[in-house]
Amino acid sequence: MVDGSLFLSILVLVIGFSVLAYTTFAFAHVRITDSDMTELDRLRREGVLPESPRLVEDFKLVHAKLAEIAPAVYLRQEVWLQMYFHLLRLARWMRPDSDGLERELLRLSAYQAGHYRTALTRLEALKNPGF
C-alpha cells in the first residue's frame, strides 16, 4: 500500500496501467507504420487468408500459422504484438466507427504477415539447404 491508503494504491495502479498501455500503443504504432501491405495480398492470392478481408480473424489466423512454424525456425513472436492487438480491439469496441483503428488493425496484420513470410523463407531454407 502507498502510505497505507487503498485509494492511493489503486490510483498508482491505474496510472501505471495507463502509462503501460500508452507506451505499448506508441511503440507498436511506430513499428507497424511502414508495414508491407502487399504481403497480405500475397497471402490472399496463395490461399492462406480468405479472399474477403476480416481484420481480427486475419490477424488471428496469421498468428496461429506463425505459432506453428516459429519454433522450428527460431522466430519469436513479440509480446507487444498481442498487447497492441488487444488494445486495438478494446479501442475499436469503444469507437466502432473509427477508420484509423481499422487501418491500424490492417497494418498490424500486414506486419504479422511479413513475419510469416520470413518464417516460411527460413523453413524453406532448412528443408532445402543446398539452394
Side-chain angles (χ1 to χ4, degrees):
M1 288 203 163
V2 177
D3 285 338
S5 170
L6 181 62
F7 175 74
L8 285 177
S9 299
I10 292 173
L11 183 65
V12 167
L13 184 63
V14 167
I15 290 172
F17 180 74
S18 299
V19 168
L20 177 65
Y22 175 76
T23 54
T24 300
F25 192 81
F27 173 78
H29 175 73
V30 169
R31 289 291 303 256
I32 68 168
T33 298
D34 38 330
S35 298
D36 186 11
M37 294 298 184
T38 59
E39 202 58 49
L40 277 176
D41 295 333
R42 185 179 303 151
L43 290 179
R44 289 191 203 295
R45 283 193 310 270
E46 292 174 357
V48 175
L49 292 175
E51 288 294 320
S52 62
R54 302 167 312 174
L55 298 173
V56 173
E57 290 81 7
D58 288 350
F59 178 83
K60 286 182 178 180
L61 182 61
V62 173
H63 184 75
K65 288 189 173 292
L66 188 55
E68 290 176 7
I69 61 173
V73 296
Y74 194 68
L75 183 71
R76 293 181 314 141
Q77 295 197 53
E78 294 123 342
V79 176
W80 63 266
L81 278 172
Q82 283 295 98
M83 289 175 60
Y84 190 53
F85 174 69
H86 292 299
L87 279 172
L88 284 176
R89 288 192 63 198
L90 177 67
R92 194 168 155 221
W93 176 73
M94 291 172 20
R95 293 192 57 201
D97 59 342
S98 174
D99 291 334
L101 293 173
E102 302 283 322
R103 196 170 32 256
E104 283 295 301
L105 274 170
L106 187 62
R107 285 182 185 152
L108 187 62
S109 294
Y111 184 84
Q112 191 74 333
H115 280 293
Y116 182 64
R117 177 61 59 193
T118 302
L120 286 178
T121 304
R122 288 181 183 176
L123 188 62
E124 187 63 31
L126 286 174
K127 287 180 181 178
N128 302 318
F131 296 104

